[in-house]
Amino acid sequence: MASSPAVSSRISASAFENSLKWALDLRLQNGDNRAPLIIGIHSDTYSSENTGYPQPLAERRLAIEHFLDYALTKPQVRFGTAKQLIQWMCSPTPL
């Protein structure tokens, strides 16, 4: 089974979490183009059925939970579905 580069043996769950935080902080810096930061996470990666990763399931899930908690501290951050994102992109409005 091929593993996701996000949680492969090449990167720890905490390094994955930190890379998400870095990407978000970079996107929110003044002067950035403010385009949406899209993070696609395959749900199977965080399923108890998937045993193809070296990190324990709880560690993988915790990295995402920590990132979501961090992102929600930013007043400019919004979460939405892919469909909601496309609808917004068709008719963008300021946050």
Side-chain angles (χ1 to χ4, degrees):
M1 168 188 299
S3 64
S4 164
V7 289
S8 72
S9 60
R10 295 175 289 161
I11 185 170
S12 69
S14 63
F16 174 57
E17 174 189 333
N18 289 334
S19 69
L20 291 172
K21 290 177 179 178
W22 173 84
L24 178 62
D25 290 341
L26 183 65
R27 181 54 54 92
L28 294 176
Q29 285 181 357
N30 288 335
D32 193 68
N33 68 15
R34 304 305 294 259
L37 174 63
I38 301 168
I39 301 171
I41 300 172
H42 197 289
S43 60
D44 185 53
T45 301
Y46 302 94
S47 165
S48 59
E49 301 295 317
N50 192 331
T51 59
Y53 295 94
Q55 295 86 359
L57 174 62
E59 189 177 320
R60 297 192 313 265
R61 287 181 174 174
L62 196 58
I64 295 300
E65 288 177 29
H66 286 173
F67 170 72
L68 294 175
D69 289 342
Y70 176 79
L72 288 171
T73 67
K74 312 291 183 182
Q76 327 74 314
V77 169
R78 305 292 185 275
F79 286 96
T81 65
K83 182 178 180 178
Q84 290 170 324
L85 175 63
I86 292 168
Q87 289 171 335
W88 179 83
M89 291 174 73
C90 289
S91 183
T93 56
L95 297 178

